[in-house]
Amino acid sequence: MKPQLLSLLRQALDQVLAGTGVAAPDTIAVDATKDSRHGDFATNLALTLAKALGKPPRKVAEELVRALPPSPVVSKVEIAGPGFINFFLAPTAFQALVAEILDRGVEFGRNNAGAGRKAMVEFVSANPTGPLHVGHGRGAAVGDCLARLLQATGWEVCREFYYNDAGAQIGNLAISVQARCRGVEPGQHGWPEDGYRGEYIKDVAKSYLAGEKVHADDREVTAAADPDNLDAIREFAVAYLRREQDLDLKAFAVHFDVYYLESSLYREGKVEQTVQDLVKSGHTFEQDGALWLRTTGFGDDKDRVMRKSEGGYTYFLPDVAYHVNKWQRGFTRVINEQGADHHSTITRVRAGLQALGIGIPQGWPEYVLHQMVTVMRGGEEVKISKRAGSYVTLRDLIDEVGRDATRYFLVARKSDSQLVFDIDLARSQTNDNPVYYIQYAHARVASVMRQLAERGMEWDLAAGKAALEKLTDASELALIAQLARYPELVADAAEQLEPHQVAQYLRELAAAFHGFYNTQQVLVEDAGLRNARLALALATQQVLRNGLDLLGVSAPEKM
RNA sequence: GCCCCGGUAGCUCAGUGGAUAGAGCGACCGCCUCCUAAGCGGUAGGUCACAGGUUCGAUUCCUGUUCGGGGCGCCA
């Protein structure tokens, strides 16, 4: 409906501006009104043009309204307040949408903005040194939802998980497991200084000593069971913890297409190649025995060491090498979903990529950072520390509040906001979770369909579409107006990389449906009206299902 | 000292360059002989952190202040 109004306004605008020498604005704001007395949509176009035209806003509005071509979609146009133009839409414009939704089904709301281009979403990317915690859960929920939004808008999406299986952290993991193999407890003599103290390390050791075989999504290892073989322990521990993470992610219904190993960047010479290319670029210098990159030339506040004086590389080199590889794989669009504590890497990675001068655009890759998740339990904050072992894992959360609710909670807030996850609240108020409110709306439609069959009535699609003009109640038109917002909402959420918009929208849509359901009886005697209302209910169910699917939340038939 | 994010109802959080600022939870009052009451309707509750600026108009944009969180290493 909005595109039609925009087109009408463009035509009117051309006519009004003709001969004035004033250029038409690039965008025209047409927004759904908050107050129904202001019509269905409103534009402030006249207010924004008044100055350039040297006329009072209301005068400009009058000229625009006079120039508007007639349209079957618009039933009334009013000029209000300082110069707003309010559009009242014809009920048929709303009613026709119900048929469109039923025709398009799962396709309704999708668009082809991505035109089949390749995009990568890298997310979670946790090192295999412990189970996934709530912060990873937020990353998983947001990242997966971003991927789904991009897919819904025509992108070909690769979900990628990057991790380190060979660095210092992994070495620390190995000696921690080894200590546990030997029966050493944290704090005792022989416990490694920065060892991982969590109980799960004991489980890894037990499994290793038992000679178990573990199978993760990207690797399989049989334990050597020898406590003196540190290499074997390392390999086993990585596989074991990767498998644990896979189980967490599976429970969360998140899958990855590619697992990318930091170690492969070294093994395949990509890190060395990147160093050479950076040196060749002329943006490096030697100082104090180390090799530096002049990142200050690319917006950083200080230059960064690439190769330490002792010869090893700093962490950001493999990061740059990794992103060169992403670029070379043809991902002209890459979105990295990370915790906000990594924000300082953004400038450095981009600086490294710019220094290489290989045609990578300045703002590439894109980043979506999520703020910290604070976990409350028993009215107290639970500190998340792998080393201390006090821990709220993603799986705990899924077990306690369910996958759907966990996903919804973690994605329903702007990534920029810190998130307080109160476990007791989420547990005790399971029935009051917003996700159930949305799912219930979906299940209610399914229930109506069951009742329909029980009463020996039939649903007739053609009759429903033919009788849509019977949908005239305020609750019906309000519901359709919500449904009408969906395609634009998907486009906006995808464009702005904001999954929470979908979560918010679905709650509003569910509210509109519950309002309709309480006001109007669907299964009435009048077959025409019944089919029209069934059409509306089914269209709502379709949009709820489409939207819930974007969040990775299930749409139950029965609750 | 510098960088990033936030400060909106008792709590958790949406939202917006415009016309009376919203939801959920919590509180209070109503609604099932009727398609699942996991629902609906209503009441109470706000100087949109503070101060300047831009604007016809700012809670929204800019600057400063302040409070809270995170980050600033030849750690990753």
Side-chain angles (χ1 to χ4, degrees):
Chain A
M1 291 174 234
K2 196 161 141 180
Q4 283 131 299
L5 293 178
L6 278 170
S7 145
L8 295 176
L9 275 168
R10 283 274 172 211
Q11 292 176 52
L13 189 61
D14 287 345
Q15 200 178 319
V16 168
L17 293 182
T20 63
V22 174
D26 293 336
T27 56
I28 299 177
V30 174
D31 295 308
T33 56
K34 285 181 239 171
D35 187 331
S36 58
R37 284 174 303 176
H38 300 143
D40 298 299
F41 289 90
T43 181
N44 62 355
L45 185 59
L47 290 133
T48 60
L49 284 174
K51 199 164 201 177
L53 288 170
K55 296 175 188 171
R58 285 195 70 109
K59 184 96 194 337
V60 178
E62 280 167 29
E63 289 180 20
L64 282 167
V65 170
R66 217 175 301 133
L68 275 174
S71 162
V73 173
V74 181
S75 69
K76 188 168 66 163
V77 181
E78 278 181 0
I79 298 167
F84 294 106
I85 301 173
N86 294 336
F87 294 93
F88 294 76
L89 300 192
T92 51
F94 286 102
Q95 291 151 355
L97 186 84
V98 174
E100 188 191 332
I101 294 169
L102 292 174
D103 289 341
R104 299 203 56 202
V106 293
E107 289 299 314
F108 181 74
R110 299 175 70 95
N111 67 51
N112 197 30
R117 285 171 291 170
K118 286 174 70 177
M120 174 194 289
V121 181
E122 185 214 320
F123 61 115
V124 184
S125 294
N127 282 341
T129 54
L132 298 179
H133 57 66
V134 197
H136 295 125
R138 190 173 195 184
V142 172
D144 188 53
C145 195
L146 287 171
R148 286 165 188 260
L149 277 167
L150 289 177
Q151 285 171 323
T153 51
W155 293 84
E156 185 192 320
V157 177
C158 174
R159 290 170 170 83
E160 187 149 311
F161 186 117
Y162 173 73
Y163 72 96
N164 184 359
D165 67 334
Q169 284 184 47
I170 301 298
N172 191 20
L173 170 72
I175 58 174
S176 302
V177 173
Q178 186 174 49
R180 286 289 198 180
C181 283
R182 291 171 172 158
V184 180
E185 302 270 327
Q188 289 179 345
H189 178 73
W191 182 258
E193 190 166 350
D194 286 319
Y196 291 102
R197 306 165 75 94
E199 282 294 303
Y200 64 92
I201 296 292
K202 204 192 277 186
D203 298 335
V204 179
K206 200 183 291 173
S207 178
Y208 176 78
L209 291 174
E212 287 177 11
K213 180 175 172 178
V214 296
H215 175 84
D217 274 2
D218 66 327
R219 53 176 69 215
E220 188 175 278
V221 172
T222 304
D226 173 5
D228 294 325
N229 188 343
L230 195 59
D231 284 341
I233 291 175
R234 181 190 302 115
E235 207 188 337
F236 180 80
V238 167
Y240 184 100
L241 291 170
R242 278 268 41 262
R243 182 192 61 181
E244 292 300 301
Q245 293 181 350
D246 286 343
L247 292 172
D248 295 343
L249 292 167
K250 200 169 180 183
F252 213 38
V254 171
H255 88 276
F256 288 89
D257 302 303
V258 176
Y259 290 88
Y260 202 98
L261 292 181
E262 183 181 337
S263 61
S264 74
L265 294 167
Y266 290 97
R267 202 169 52 245
E268 294 164 16
K270 293 196 169 88
V271 175
E272 188 53 41
Q273 185 64 48
T274 299
V275 174
Q276 287 175 17
D277 290 346
L278 283 170
V279 170
K280 225 177 289 169
S281 78
H283 295 291
T284 61
F285 62 96
E286 301 229 13
Q287 188 183 307
D288 305 329
L291 181 65
W292 298 66
L293 181 66
R294 208 180 303 281
T295 53
T296 47
F298 302 94
D300 205 353
D301 58 343
K302 48 186 116 164
D303 294 325
R304 305 292 168 179
V305 170
M306 298 162 53
R307 192 174 57 220
K308 298 179 264 185
S309 51
E310 43 87 348
Y313 296 120
T314 56
Y315 79 95
F316 103 94
L317 255 180
D319 275 2
V320 173
Y322 175 43
H323 282 88
V324 169
N325 174 261
K326 286 183 182 176
W327 179 257
Q328 287 168 343
R329 278 188 277 159
F331 292 103
T332 51
R333 182 151 198 216
V334 167
I335 293 150
N336 293 331
E337 204 290 346
Q338 303 179 340
D341 52 341
H342 290 91
H343 97 271
S344 60
T345 68
I346 297 174
T347 311
R348 291 179 217 181
V349 168
R350 285 183 180 159
L353 295 171
Q354 289 306 302
L356 285 167
I358 54 175
I360 294 177
Q362 278 194 4
W364 188 96
E366 295 163 71
Y367 284 84
V368 173
L369 301 182
H370 63 261
Q371 295 292 321
M372 304 263 303
V373 179
T374 309
V375 180
M376 304 289 287
R377 174 176 250 148
E380 279 179 26
E381 183 180 339
V382 182
K383 287 285 180 192
I384 298 167
S385 162
K386 271 188 229 181
R387 299 210 171 148
S390 157
Y391 216 77
V392 179
T393 66
L394 178 56
R395 218 178 312 166
D396 289 343
L397 220 49
I398 297 170
D399 288 346
E400 291 186 38
V401 309
R403 184 231 288 173
D404 286 341
T406 306
R407 278 191 82 128
Y408 186 90
F409 265 108
L410 290 175
V411 94
R413 318 249 111 123
K414 233 181 347 186
S415 297
D416 286 339
S417 295
Q418 284 169 228
L419 181 71
V420 175
F421 204 119
D422 187 328
I423 291 185
D424 302 315
L425 193 76
R427 277 182 79 179
S428 66
Q429 302 191 335
T430 292
N431 289 347
D432 293 324
N433 271 332
V435 66
Y436 291 111
Y437 180 80
I438 297 162
Q439 290 178 318
Y440 184 45
H442 182 272
R444 268 186 150 172
V445 179
S447 173
V448 169
M449 295 310 283
R450 285 191 295 271
Q451 275 293 319
L452 180 81
E454 271 177 39
R455 298 184 191 183
M457 295 171 168
E458 286 196 7
W459 151 238
D460 185 328
L461 174 63
K465 285 203 238 174
L468 293 174
E469 81 279 358
K470 290 176 185 286
L471 301 175
T472 54
D473 183 73
S475 70
E476 292 165 338
L477 293 174
L479 176 53
I480 300 173
Q482 277 297 325
L483 294 171
R485 282 180 55 209
Y486 184 68
E488 196 185 341
L489 171 101
V490 173
D492 284 351
E495 219 164 274
Q496 294 159 36
L497 302 176
E498 292 187 338
H500 78 276
Q501 289 192 28
V502 179
Q504 296 293 332
Y505 167 79
L506 286 174
R507 232 180 17 71
E508 286 165 30
L509 176 59
F513 176 78
H514 289 307
F516 155 71
Y517 184 91
N518 272 274
T519 321
Q520 305 297 327
Q521 189 77 13
V522 176
L523 301 179
V524 291
E525 284 304 316
D526 176 349
L529 183 60
R530 184 173 70 234
N531 279 312
R533 286 188 179 153
L534 281 168
L536 175 57
L538 287 168
T540 306
Q541 189 185 39
Q542 182 69 59
V543 174
L544 285 168
R545 199 182 306 139
N546 293 0
L548 284 169
D549 185 60
L550 285 176
L551 300 182
V553 173
S554 66
E557 296 287 311
K558 198 171 181 177
M559 292 177 73

mmCIF file of all heavy atoms in Angstrom, chain A residues 1 4 72-73 90-104 108 464-471 476-477 480-481 483-484 535-536 539:
data_model
loop_
_atom_site.group_PDB
_atom_site.id
_atom_site.type_symbol
_atom_site.label_atom_id
_atom_site.label_comp_id
_atom_site.label_asym_id
_atom_site.label_seq_id
_atom_site.Cartn_x
_atom_site.Cartn_y
_atom_site.Cartn_z
ATOM 1 N N MET A 1 0.826 -1.216 0.000
ATOM 2 C CA MET A 1 0.000 0.000 0.000
ATOM 3 C C MET A 1 0.851 1.253 0.000
ATOM 4 O O MET A 1 0.574 2.225 -0.675
ATOM 5 C CB MET A 1 -0.886 0.020 1.241
ATOM 6 C CG MET A 1 -1.942 -1.050 1.185
ATOM 7 S SD MET A 1 -2.865 -1.121 2.701
ATOM 8 C CE MET A 1 -2.695 -2.820 3.107
ATOM 9 N N GLN A 4 2.254 2.323 -3.352
ATOM 10 C CA GLN A 4 1.267 3.002 -4.187
ATOM 11 C C GLN A 4 1.155 4.476 -3.806
ATOM 12 O O GLN A 4 1.110 5.349 -4.663
ATOM 13 C CB GLN A 4 -0.108 2.331 -4.043
ATOM 14 C CG GLN A 4 -0.217 1.025 -4.807
ATOM 15 C CD GLN A 4 -0.775 -0.103 -3.959
ATOM 16 O OE1 GLN A 4 -0.179 -0.469 -2.948
ATOM 17 N NE2 GLN A 4 -1.925 -0.655 -4.336
ATOM 18 N N PRO A 72 -7.904 4.169 -6.659
ATOM 19 C CA PRO A 72 -8.899 3.342 -5.968
ATOM 20 C C PRO A 72 -8.453 2.970 -4.552
ATOM 21 O O PRO A 72 -9.259 2.562 -3.727
ATOM 22 C CB PRO A 72 -9.003 2.087 -6.849
ATOM 23 C CG PRO A 72 -7.725 2.049 -7.612
ATOM 24 C CD PRO A 72 -7.292 3.464 -7.795
ATOM 25 N N VAL A 73 -7.179 3.112 -4.289
ATOM 26 C CA VAL A 73 -6.645 2.727 -2.985
ATOM 27 C C VAL A 73 -6.992 3.759 -1.913
ATOM 28 O O VAL A 73 -7.182 3.445 -0.759
ATOM 29 C CB VAL A 73 -5.108 2.554 -3.076
ATOM 30 C CG1 VAL A 73 -4.501 2.316 -1.718
ATOM 31 C CG2 VAL A 73 -4.767 1.409 -4.028
ATOM 32 N N ALA A 90 -8.937 3.059 1.234
ATOM 33 C CA ALA A 90 -10.192 2.350 1.015
ATOM 34 C C ALA A 90 -10.090 0.964 1.637
ATOM 35 O O ALA A 90 -9.047 0.329 1.556
ATOM 36 C CB ALA A 90 -10.451 2.237 -0.479
ATOM 37 N N PRO A 91 -11.181 0.503 2.274
ATOM 38 C CA PRO A 91 -11.147 -0.830 2.889
ATOM 39 C C PRO A 91 -10.735 -1.916 1.887
ATOM 40 O O PRO A 91 -10.063 -2.875 2.252
ATOM 41 C CB PRO A 91 -12.593 -1.040 3.345
ATOM 42 C CG PRO A 91 -13.132 0.332 3.528
ATOM 43 C CD PRO A 91 -12.445 1.193 2.508
ATOM 44 N N THR A 92 -11.094 -1.747 0.625
ATOM 45 C CA THR A 92 -10.732 -2.777 -0.370
ATOM 46 C C THR A 92 -9.228 -2.932 -0.479
ATOM 47 O O THR A 92 -8.732 -4.022 -0.758
ATOM 48 C CB THR A 92 -11.299 -2.405 -1.763
ATOM 49 O OG1 THR A 92 -10.924 -1.061 -2.062
ATOM 50 C CG2 THR A 92 -12.797 -2.551 -1.793
ATOM 51 N N ALA A 93 -8.497 -1.859 -0.242
ATOM 52 C CA ALA A 93 -7.037 -1.945 -0.319
ATOM 53 C C ALA A 93 -6.516 -2.900 0.748
ATOM 54 O O ALA A 93 -5.592 -3.672 0.513
ATOM 55 C CB ALA A 93 -6.423 -0.566 -0.135
ATOM 56 N N PHE A 94 -7.151 -2.847 1.921
ATOM 57 C CA PHE A 94 -6.756 -3.751 3.000
ATOM 58 C C PHE A 94 -7.218 -5.176 2.712
ATOM 59 O O PHE A 94 -6.473 -6.137 2.853
ATOM 60 C CB PHE A 94 -7.367 -3.291 4.331
ATOM 61 C CG PHE A 94 -6.711 -2.072 4.899
ATOM 62 C CD1 PHE A 94 -7.289 -0.828 4.781
ATOM 63 C CD2 PHE A 94 -5.497 -2.186 5.553
ATOM 64 C CE1 PHE A 94 -6.680 0.286 5.313
ATOM 65 C CE2 PHE A 94 -4.883 -1.080 6.090
ATOM 66 C CZ PHE A 94 -5.474 0.168 5.964
ATOM 67 N N GLN A 95 -8.481 -5.272 2.335
ATOM 68 C CA GLN A 95 -9.064 -6.597 2.148
ATOM 69 C C GLN A 95 -8.313 -7.410 1.096
ATOM 70 O O GLN A 95 -8.102 -8.614 1.254
ATOM 71 C CB GLN A 95 -10.546 -6.458 1.765
ATOM 72 C CG GLN A 95 -11.387 -5.931 2.918
ATOM 73 C CD GLN A 95 -12.594 -5.140 2.461
ATOM 74 O OE1 GLN A 95 -12.766 -4.892 1.264
ATOM 75 N NE2 GLN A 95 -13.431 -4.722 3.396
ATOM 76 N N ALA A 96 -7.877 -6.733 0.040
ATOM 77 C CA ALA A 96 -7.182 -7.445 -1.043
ATOM 78 C C ALA A 96 -5.904 -8.094 -0.547
ATOM 79 O O ALA A 96 -5.439 -9.093 -1.086
ATOM 80 C CB ALA A 96 -6.874 -6.471 -2.178
ATOM 81 N N LEU A 97 -5.335 -7.517 0.513
ATOM 82 C CA LEU A 97 -4.074 -8.052 1.029
ATOM 83 C C LEU A 97 -4.231 -9.474 1.566
ATOM 84 O O LEU A 97 -3.313 -10.286 1.468
ATOM 85 C CB LEU A 97 -3.558 -7.139 2.146
ATOM 86 C CG LEU A 97 -2.186 -7.559 2.633
ATOM 87 C CD1 LEU A 97 -1.116 -6.979 1.745
ATOM 88 C CD2 LEU A 97 -1.984 -7.177 4.069
ATOM 89 N N VAL A 98 -5.392 -9.760 2.120
ATOM 90 C CA VAL A 98 -5.621 -11.095 2.685
ATOM 91 C C VAL A 98 -5.462 -12.148 1.596
ATOM 92 O O VAL A 98 -4.795 -13.176 1.790
ATOM 93 C CB VAL A 98 -7.027 -11.177 3.321
ATOM 94 C CG1 VAL A 98 -7.319 -12.594 3.781
ATOM 95 C CG2 VAL A 98 -7.136 -10.202 4.480
ATOM 96 N N ALA A 99 -6.036 -11.879 0.439
ATOM 97 C CA ALA A 99 -5.927 -12.817 -0.678
ATOM 98 C C ALA A 99 -4.469 -12.944 -1.120
ATOM 99 O O ALA A 99 -3.989 -14.041 -1.415
ATOM 100 C CB ALA A 99 -6.791 -12.340 -1.839
ATOM 101 N N GLU A 100 -3.782 -11.822 -1.132
ATOM 102 C CA GLU A 100 -2.381 -11.840 -1.561
ATOM 103 C C GLU A 100 -1.544 -12.732 -0.637
ATOM 104 O O GLU A 100 -0.710 -13.508 -1.095
ATOM 105 C CB GLU A 100 -1.817 -10.415 -1.572
ATOM 106 C CG GLU A 100 -0.423 -10.347 -2.186
ATOM 107 C CD GLU A 100 0.251 -8.994 -1.959
ATOM 108 O OE1 GLU A 100 -0.471 -7.987 -1.826
ATOM 109 O OE2 GLU A 100 1.495 -8.973 -1.902
ATOM 110 N N ILE A 101 -1.777 -12.612 0.668
ATOM 111 C CA ILE A 101 -1.002 -13.422 1.620
ATOM 112 C C ILE A 101 -1.276 -14.906 1.389
ATOM 113 O O ILE A 101 -0.356 -15.723 1.343
ATOM 114 C CB ILE A 101 -1.355 -13.029 3.070
ATOM 115 C CG1 ILE A 101 -0.894 -11.618 3.354
ATOM 116 C CG2 ILE A 101 -0.716 -14.011 4.053
ATOM 117 C CD1 ILE A 101 -1.422 -11.035 4.658
ATOM 118 N N LEU A 102 -2.556 -15.234 1.227
ATOM 119 C CA LEU A 102 -2.901 -16.647 1.032
ATOM 120 C C LEU A 102 -2.309 -17.176 -0.277
ATOM 121 O O LEU A 102 -1.878 -18.324 -0.349
ATOM 122 C CB LEU A 102 -4.418 -16.814 1.053
ATOM 123 C CG LEU A 102 -5.060 -16.543 2.417
ATOM 124 C CD1 LEU A 102 -6.583 -16.587 2.310
ATOM 125 C CD2 LEU A 102 -4.569 -17.538 3.467
ATOM 126 N N ASP A 103 -2.257 -16.335 -1.279
ATOM 127 C CA ASP A 103 -1.675 -16.768 -2.555
ATOM 128 C C ASP A 103 -0.177 -16.986 -2.445
ATOM 129 O O ASP A 103 0.373 -17.927 -2.995
ATOM 130 C CB ASP A 103 -1.948 -15.722 -3.650
ATOM 131 C CG ASP A 103 -3.410 -15.697 -4.058
ATOM 132 O OD1 ASP A 103 -4.112 -16.687 -3.775
ATOM 133 O OD2 ASP A 103 -3.853 -14.693 -4.642
ATOM 134 N N ARG A 104 0.477 -16.097 -1.731
ATOM 135 C CA ARG A 104 1.943 -16.148 -1.706
ATOM 136 C C ARG A 104 2.501 -17.070 -0.629
ATOM 137 O O ARG A 104 3.635 -17.517 -0.722
ATOM 138 C CB ARG A 104 2.509 -14.734 -1.541
ATOM 139 C CG ARG A 104 2.096 -13.829 -2.724
ATOM 140 C CD ARG A 104 3.026 -12.677 -2.897
ATOM 141 N NE ARG A 104 4.400 -13.122 -3.055
ATOM 142 C CZ ARG A 104 5.460 -12.365 -2.816
ATOM 143 N NH1 ARG A 104 5.303 -11.133 -2.415
ATOM 144 N NH2 ARG A 104 6.671 -12.846 -2.983
ATOM 145 N N PHE A 108 5.321 -14.779 1.143
ATOM 146 C CA PHE A 108 4.868 -13.439 1.513
ATOM 147 C C PHE A 108 5.858 -12.795 2.478
ATOM 148 O O PHE A 108 6.194 -13.371 3.517
ATOM 149 C CB PHE A 108 3.476 -13.484 2.152
ATOM 150 C CG PHE A 108 2.967 -12.121 2.525
ATOM 151 C CD1 PHE A 108 2.519 -11.247 1.547
ATOM 152 C CD2 PHE A 108 2.970 -11.697 3.852
ATOM 153 C CE1 PHE A 108 2.073 -9.975 1.887
ATOM 154 C CE2 PHE A 108 2.516 -10.428 4.197
ATOM 155 C CZ PHE A 108 2.068 -9.564 3.209
ATOM 156 N N GLY A 464 -13.879 -17.473 0.347
ATOM 157 C CA GLY A 464 -13.287 -16.548 1.304
ATOM 158 C C GLY A 464 -12.749 -15.305 0.609
ATOM 159 O O GLY A 464 -13.013 -14.177 1.014
ATOM 160 N N LYS A 465 -12.007 -15.525 -0.450
ATOM 161 C CA LYS A 465 -11.440 -14.393 -1.189
ATOM 162 C C LYS A 465 -12.525 -13.517 -1.789
ATOM 163 O O LYS A 465 -12.377 -12.304 -1.895
ATOM 164 C CB LYS A 465 -10.527 -14.925 -2.300
ATOM 165 C CG LYS A 465 -9.196 -15.439 -1.793
ATOM 166 C CD LYS A 465 -8.174 -15.418 -2.918
ATOM 167 C CE LYS A 465 -7.609 -16.790 -3.169
ATOM 168 N NZ LYS A 465 -6.724 -16.855 -4.321
ATOM 169 N N ALA A 466 -13.631 -14.165 -2.193
ATOM 170 C CA ALA A 466 -14.715 -13.414 -2.828
ATOM 171 C C ALA A 466 -15.512 -12.598 -1.816
ATOM 172 O O ALA A 466 -16.229 -11.677 -2.179
ATOM 173 C CB ALA A 466 -15.633 -14.376 -3.575
ATOM 174 N N ALA A 467 -15.365 -12.954 -0.534
ATOM 175 C CA ALA A 467 -16.199 -12.296 0.478
ATOM 176 C C ALA A 467 -15.401 -11.365 1.393
ATOM 177 O O ALA A 467 -15.870 -10.968 2.456
ATOM 178 C CB ALA A 467 -16.907 -13.360 1.318
ATOM 179 N N LEU A 468 -14.222 -11.009 0.970
ATOM 180 C CA LEU A 468 -13.350 -10.206 1.843
ATOM 181 C C LEU A 468 -13.939 -8.844 2.186
ATOM 182 O O LEU A 468 -13.560 -8.241 3.184
ATOM 183 C CB LEU A 468 -11.962 -10.045 1.205
ATOM 184 C CG LEU A 468 -11.148 -11.340 1.108
ATOM 185 C CD1 LEU A 468 -9.847 -11.112 0.342
ATOM 186 C CD2 LEU A 468 -10.836 -11.885 2.498
ATOM 187 N N GLU A 469 -14.860 -8.361 1.358
ATOM 188 C CA GLU A 469 -15.444 -7.045 1.667
ATOM 189 C C GLU A 469 -16.284 -7.099 2.929
ATOM 190 O O GLU A 469 -16.671 -6.059 3.466
ATOM 191 C CB GLU A 469 -16.259 -6.510 0.468
ATOM 192 C CG GLU A 469 -17.658 -7.069 0.330
ATOM 193 C CD GLU A 469 -17.673 -8.448 -0.353
ATOM 194 O OE1 GLU A 469 -16.597 -8.953 -0.755
ATOM 195 O OE2 GLU A 469 -18.766 -9.011 -0.479
ATOM 196 N N LYS A 470 -16.566 -8.313 3.425
ATOM 197 C CA LYS A 470 -17.321 -8.441 4.673
ATOM 198 C C LYS A 470 -16.455 -8.142 5.904
ATOM 199 O O LYS A 470 -16.950 -8.060 7.017
ATOM 200 C CB LYS A 470 -17.906 -9.846 4.798
ATOM 201 C CG LYS A 470 -19.043 -10.124 3.799
ATOM 202 C CD LYS A 470 -19.518 -11.554 3.914
ATOM 203 C CE LYS A 470 -20.552 -11.910 2.862
ATOM 204 N NZ LYS A 470 -21.884 -11.315 3.135
ATOM 205 N N LEU A 471 -15.146 -8.043 5.679
ATOM 206 C CA LEU A 471 -14.249 -7.752 6.806
ATOM 207 C C LEU A 471 -14.195 -6.251 7.027
ATOM 208 O O LEU A 471 -13.358 -5.555 6.467
ATOM 209 C CB LEU A 471 -12.839 -8.301 6.516
ATOM 210 C CG LEU A 471 -12.756 -9.808 6.261
ATOM 211 C CD1 LEU A 471 -11.339 -10.200 5.878
ATOM 212 C CD2 LEU A 471 -13.212 -10.578 7.497
ATOM 213 N N GLU A 476 -10.841 -6.206 12.608
ATOM 214 C CA GLU A 476 -10.415 -6.897 11.390
ATOM 215 C C GLU A 476 -9.501 -6.009 10.551
ATOM 216 O O GLU A 476 -8.451 -6.448 10.069
ATOM 217 C CB GLU A 476 -11.644 -7.325 10.576
ATOM 218 C CG GLU A 476 -12.437 -8.422 11.286
ATOM 219 C CD GLU A 476 -13.841 -8.640 10.719
ATOM 220 O OE1 GLU A 476 -14.375 -7.715 10.066
ATOM 221 O OE2 GLU A 476 -14.404 -9.709 10.945
ATOM 222 N N LEU A 477 -9.899 -4.760 10.402
ATOM 223 C CA LEU A 477 -9.082 -3.853 9.592
ATOM 224 C C LEU A 477 -7.749 -3.557 10.287
ATOM 225 O O LEU A 477 -6.706 -3.430 9.637
ATOM 226 C CB LEU A 477 -9.852 -2.563 9.307
ATOM 227 C CG LEU A 477 -11.082 -2.784 8.401
ATOM 228 C CD1 LEU A 477 -11.892 -1.502 8.267
ATOM 229 C CD2 LEU A 477 -10.676 -3.293 7.026
ATOM 230 N N ILE A 480 -5.508 -6.506 9.607
ATOM 231 C CA ILE A 480 -4.982 -6.490 8.243
ATOM 232 C C ILE A 480 -3.890 -5.427 8.106
ATOM 233 O O ILE A 480 -2.883 -5.633 7.424
ATOM 234 C CB ILE A 480 -6.103 -6.248 7.211
ATOM 235 C CG1 ILE A 480 -7.143 -7.367 7.309
ATOM 236 C CG2 ILE A 480 -5.522 -6.208 5.799
ATOM 237 C CD1 ILE A 480 -8.375 -7.141 6.443
ATOM 238 N N ALA A 481 -4.102 -4.296 8.784
ATOM 239 C CA ALA A 481 -3.086 -3.236 8.713
ATOM 240 C C ALA A 481 -1.751 -3.738 9.271
ATOM 241 O O ALA A 481 -0.680 -3.413 8.749
ATOM 242 C CB ALA A 481 -3.555 -2.005 9.483
ATOM 243 N N LEU A 483 -0.797 -6.910 9.247
ATOM 244 C CA LEU A 483 -0.294 -7.859 8.250
ATOM 245 C C LEU A 483 0.391 -7.112 7.109
ATOM 246 O O LEU A 483 1.421 -7.545 6.595
ATOM 247 C CB LEU A 483 -1.451 -8.708 7.694
ATOM 248 C CG LEU A 483 -2.117 -9.657 8.687
ATOM 249 C CD1 LEU A 483 -3.378 -10.257 8.078
ATOM 250 C CD2 LEU A 483 -1.149 -10.759 9.101
ATOM 251 N N ALA A 484 -0.177 -5.972 6.757
ATOM 252 C CA ALA A 484 0.350 -5.202 5.630
ATOM 253 C C ALA A 484 1.757 -4.686 5.895
ATOM 254 O O ALA A 484 2.534 -4.456 4.977
ATOM 255 C CB ALA A 484 -0.580 -4.032 5.322
ATOM 256 N N ALA A 535 -10.308 -16.795 6.102
ATOM 257 C CA ALA A 535 -9.227 -16.317 5.224
ATOM 258 C C ALA A 535 -8.310 -15.384 6.004
ATOM 259 O O ALA A 535 -7.076 -15.496 5.930
ATOM 260 C CB ALA A 535 -9.814 -15.602 4.010
ATOM 261 N N LEU A 536 -8.909 -14.493 6.774
ATOM 262 C CA LEU A 536 -8.113 -13.561 7.570
ATOM 263 C C LEU A 536 -7.296 -14.304 8.629
ATOM 264 O O LEU A 536 -6.105 -14.024 8.833
ATOM 265 C CB LEU A 536 -9.030 -12.527 8.236
ATOM 266 C CG LEU A 536 -8.360 -11.546 9.197
ATOM 267 C CD1 LEU A 536 -7.239 -10.778 8.493
ATOM 268 C CD2 LEU A 536 -9.391 -10.566 9.766
ATOM 269 N N ALA A 539 -4.493 -16.161 6.941
ATOM 270 C CA ALA A 539 -3.468 -15.229 6.472
ATOM 271 C C ALA A 539 -2.603 -14.798 7.656
ATOM 272 O O ALA A 539 -1.371 -14.706 7.551
ATOM 273 C CB ALA A 539 -4.104 -14.016 5.809
#
